[in-house]
């Protein structure tokens, strides 16, 4: 029996121990057994289209440079000088032929190779003949449909195997245009005083939608986006390896295929053409799914893709049990007109942006949960049972959260078993 998760499918009962959200020792295990071993999103190929393009990223607690070398290869370099350890690159993003360390002026090309250092006479002629003074690259970097991931575990399974059923939903995002998707720069950075797993739950929790975000639904209704009988109807699915999704209909617009009056007449013509093109390429059924249905996707452990009234990519990392840092990016088809891109961006910022109708409400809810955990320690368990009594889980159920928690619990239980076994052997 797990210490953290009670999963009784016969009694339709699923509970999570609140220690999982507040215990510093649990966070340390998570860092070693989850963030050090799972595939973690670092960026999108569109962010580094040219040789020398780079972005500083913090992934899994590591400072990295996400860059495309002069050889055209995308890499993740540890942003630490092999000389004395200083950050090599201090700029957030840019394009450069050389990365130069501020401290002692060691210089590296876009492949991370040492190409210059002051006072070379102070070093032997064979200095760096083995490449040991080059910047170190993350060994495991793989991509799927433009989404790039790193893994710090040399023995990890391939990204394609890891993504499992999530590939189907990434395809639905990537197939929205035949010319490719692009991330709109810059990222939005913010923090939340809550445990990182609360944001995982919240990111595909449709049950809270109407009560928490009622103001937004009211505004959408004034623009022609009405709550129809199938609004917020759909399905929640586990996708393997802790990934999960909810796919559903909603009253808000979708730039890829659902027009409302608030978009204006020019946007209607553009959306009609998009729909016609999708039908021609994929047929009625798949085109309808791409353009009309919404998707909130979680790639375990900490990548969220919300394909709703706009497309948001969010990734986050725990600094403390009750403090996370979040990075968010907007994703769009490359070939949008400026006017229609403005429509999409307005939709993104209005709901998904840090100052929109959703994100501040959600952050407030998560921080209230965290406060509730800390100030009501006698209440030990959260209930995550909604929908267990149905044969097919609805989008407003919690099957997607249970998929996350089962994977989390499996990894934590294995880690603690190893720790106990090591303790017995030591004795």
């Amino acid at each position: 029996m797990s210490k953290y998760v009670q999963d009784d499918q016969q009694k339709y009962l699923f509970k999570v121990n609140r220690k999982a959200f507040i215990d510093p020792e649990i966070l340390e295990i998570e860092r070693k057994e989850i963030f050090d071993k799972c595939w973690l999103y670092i960026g999108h190929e569109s962010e580094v289209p040219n040789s020398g393009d780079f972005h500083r990223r913090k992934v899994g607690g590591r400072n990295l440079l996400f860059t495309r070398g002069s050889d055209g290869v995308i890499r993740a370099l540890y942003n630490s000088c092999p000389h004395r350890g200083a950050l090599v690159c201090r700029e957030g993003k840019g394009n450069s032929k050389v990365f130069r360390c501020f401290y002692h002026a060691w210089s590296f090309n876009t492949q991370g190779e040492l190409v210059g250092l002051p006072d070379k006479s102070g070093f032997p002629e064979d200095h760096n003949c083995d490449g040991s003074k080059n910047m170190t690259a993350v060994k495991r970097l793989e991509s799927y449909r433009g989404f790039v991931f790193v893994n710090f575990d040399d023995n990890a399974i391939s990204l394609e195997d890891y993504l499992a059923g999530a590939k189907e939903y990434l395809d639905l995002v990537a197939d929205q245009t035949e010319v490719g998707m692009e991330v709109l720069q810059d990222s939005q950075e913010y923090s939340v005083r809550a445990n990182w797993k609360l944001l995982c739950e919240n990111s595909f929790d449709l049950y809270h939608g109407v009560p928490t975000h009622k103001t937004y639904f009211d505004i959408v209704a004034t623009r022609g986006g009405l709550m129809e009988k199938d609004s917020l109807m759909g399905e929640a699915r586990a996708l393997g390896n802790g990934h999960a999704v909810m796919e559903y209909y909603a009253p808000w617009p979708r730039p890829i295929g659902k027009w409302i009056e608030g978009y204006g007449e020019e946007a209607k013509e553009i959306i009609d053409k998009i729909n016609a093109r999708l039908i021609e390429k994929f047929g009625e059924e798949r085109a309808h799914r791409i353009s009309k249905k919404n998707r909130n996707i979680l790639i375990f452990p900490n990548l969220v893709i919300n394909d709703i009234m706009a497309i948001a990519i969010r990734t986050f990392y725990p600094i403390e049990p009750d403090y996370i840092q979040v990075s968010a990016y907007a994703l769009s088809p490359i070939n949008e007109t400026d006017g229609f891109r403005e429509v999409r961006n307005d939709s993104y910022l209005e709901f998904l942006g840090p100052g929109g109708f959703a994100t501040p409400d959600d952050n407030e809810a998560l921080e209230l949960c965290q406060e509730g955990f800390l100030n009501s320690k006698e209440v030990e368990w959260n209930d995550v049972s909604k929908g267990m009594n149905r044969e097919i889980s609805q989008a407003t159920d919690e099957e997607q959260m249970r998929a996350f928690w089962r994977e989390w619990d499996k990894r934590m239980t294995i880690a603690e078993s190893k720790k106990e076994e090591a303790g017995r052997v030591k004795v």
Side-chain angles (χ1 to χ4, degrees):
M1 177 71 71
S2 167
K3 295 191 298 185
Y4 305 118
V5 173
Q6 292 184 6
D7 185 2
D8 190 334
Q9 297 184 47
Q10 290 186 332
K11 293 182 178 179
Y12 308 129
L13 180 67
F14 194 101
K15 297 198 297 184
V16 176
N17 194 299
R18 292 182 175 183
K19 280 189 68 176
F21 301 100
I22 60 176
D23 191 334
E25 292 185 11
I26 289 176
L27 177 56
E28 287 308 306
I29 298 172
E30 289 173 337
R31 286 179 173 146
K32 293 176 183 176
E33 300 300 325
I34 294 177
F35 291 99
D36 285 0
K37 294 184 178 180
C38 291
W39 285 97
L40 305 176
Y41 178 76
I42 185 172
H44 193 267
E45 290 177 3
S46 66
E47 297 180 87
V48 286
N50 305 306
S51 296
D53 287 346
F54 70 88
H55 292 264
R56 275 182 60 186
R57 292 282 151 85
K58 197 144 188 191
V59 181
R62 280 89 163 168
N63 282 299
L64 302 179
L65 270 180
F66 177 50
T67 183
R68 188 184 292 269
S70 60
D71 56 0
V73 176
I74 293 176
R75 293 178 175 83
L77 303 173
Y78 290 97
N79 191 12
S80 175
C81 185
H83 177 217
R84 298 273 288 280
L87 290 179
V88 174
C89 183
R90 295 179 293 163
E91 294 80 11
K93 65 174 185 177
N95 180 281
S96 180
K97 293 181 179 179
V98 173
F99 300 119
R100 181 178 180 272
C101 180
F102 164 80
Y103 197 9
H104 297 95
W106 282 32
S107 300
F108 307 86
N109 65 19
T110 52
Q111 283 83 259
E113 298 165 337
L114 180 66
V115 293
L117 69 165
D119 191 15
K120 288 182 68 174
S121 63
F123 299 93
E125 288 188 10
D126 62 353
H127 182 69
N128 200 38
C129 66
D130 59 355
S132 62
K133 306 303 186 293
N134 296 336
M135 294 177 71
T136 301
V138 179
K139 293 180 182 178
R140 303 293 301 277
L141 180 146
E142 298 177 22
S143 67
Y144 183 81
R145 299 302 303 271
F147 298 94
V148 184
F149 295 75
V150 294
N151 196 309
F152 303 110
D153 180 6
D154 294 346
N155 299 314
I157 61 175
S158 71
L159 175 63
E160 285 228 16
D161 289 342
Y162 179 78
L163 289 175
K167 294 195 295 289
E168 173 187 348
Y169 292 88
L170 293 179
D171 289 341
L172 292 170
V173 174
D175 284 343
Q176 293 182 18
T177 173
E178 65 275 13
V179 296
M181 306 292 283
E182 64 178 348
V183 165
L184 308 184
Q185 302 177 24
D186 289 320
S187 65
Q188 296 166 329
E189 311 283 339
Y190 57 95
S191 60
V192 189
R193 281 287 175 189
N195 187 271
W196 69 277
K197 298 181 290 296
L198 286 172
L199 184 52
C200 290
E201 290 184 338
N202 171 265
S203 296
F204 53 11
D205 173 14
L206 199 59
Y207 191 32
H208 84 281
V210 174
T212 305
H213 306 308
K214 183 180 183 301
T215 301
Y216 177 74
F217 283 93
D218 290 344
I219 290 173
V220 168
T222 67
R223 300 169 182 168
L226 300 177
M227 289 287 281
E228 301 168 354
K229 64 178 181 179
D230 60 354
S231 292
L232 305 185
M233 293 299 293
E235 185 179 358
R237 287 185 60 198
L239 303 174
N241 295 328
H243 320 315
V245 67
M246 60 183 192
E247 188 174 31
Y248 56 100
Y249 295 100
W252 53 65
R254 282 177 56 76
I256 188 63
K258 183 181 177 181
W259 178 84
I260 64 171
E261 292 175 7
Y263 269 4
E265 287 299 320
E266 183 180 348
K268 185 177 189 304
E269 183 179 345
I270 293 172
I271 289 175
D272 287 344
K273 289 179 179 178
I274 292 172
N275 278 322
R277 191 176 68 245
L278 290 172
I279 291 169
E280 182 180 358
K281 184 172 183 180
F282 296 111
E284 290 273 0
E285 184 177 346
R286 183 171 176 80
H288 176 89
R289 190 178 180 199
I290 290 172
S291 63
K292 298 297 192 291
K293 287 191 174 182
N294 299 269
R295 284 161 287 278
N296 292 47
I297 310 161
L298 178 94
I299 308 294
F300 188 92
N302 66 332
L303 170 64
V304 172
I305 300 175
N306 291 327
D307 178 14
I308 45 181
M309 75 292 295
I311 305 175
I313 300 171
R314 282 181 182 156
T315 186
F316 37 93
Y317 186 74
I319 307 303
E320 299 169 8
D322 61 351
Y323 182 72
I324 53 176
Q325 293 179 341
V326 185
S327 299
Y329 312 83
L331 185 72
S332 301
I334 289 173
N335 59 344
E336 286 184 322
T337 65
D338 290 343
F340 195 66
R341 177 65 61 83
E342 186 176 347
V343 169
R344 179 188 290 272
N345 286 346
D346 286 346
S347 290
Y348 176 94
L349 293 171
E350 183 177 61
F351 189 75
L352 294 161
F357 282 102
T359 302
D361 286 343
D362 288 335
N363 293 347
E364 172 74 5
L366 303 191
E367 292 183 353
L368 289 173
C369 289
Q370 196 72 35
E371 185 175 346
F373 301 153
L374 293 170
N375 296 322
S376 306
K377 294 183 180 179
E378 292 77 10
V379 183
E380 294 185 71
W381 299 89
N382 278 2
D383 185 277
V384 195
S385 303
K386 189 172 185 294
M388 289 185 78
N389 59 329
R390 303 187 216 266
E391 288 189 21
I392 299 176
S393 292
Q394 297 179 2
T396 52
D397 288 337
E398 295 168 341
E399 174 58 24
Q400 63 275 35
M401 297 175 205
R402 292 189 287 273
F404 169 87
W405 279 112
R406 286 172 181 135
E407 180 69 17
W408 180 89
D409 187 53
K410 180 182 77 173
R411 289 175 177 269
M412 297 295 287
T413 300
I414 291 172
E416 295 208 340
S417 296
K418 288 179 180 177
K419 185 177 178 180
E420 291 173 5
E421 180 64 26
R424 286 194 293 269
V425 170
K426 193 173 183 179
V427 172

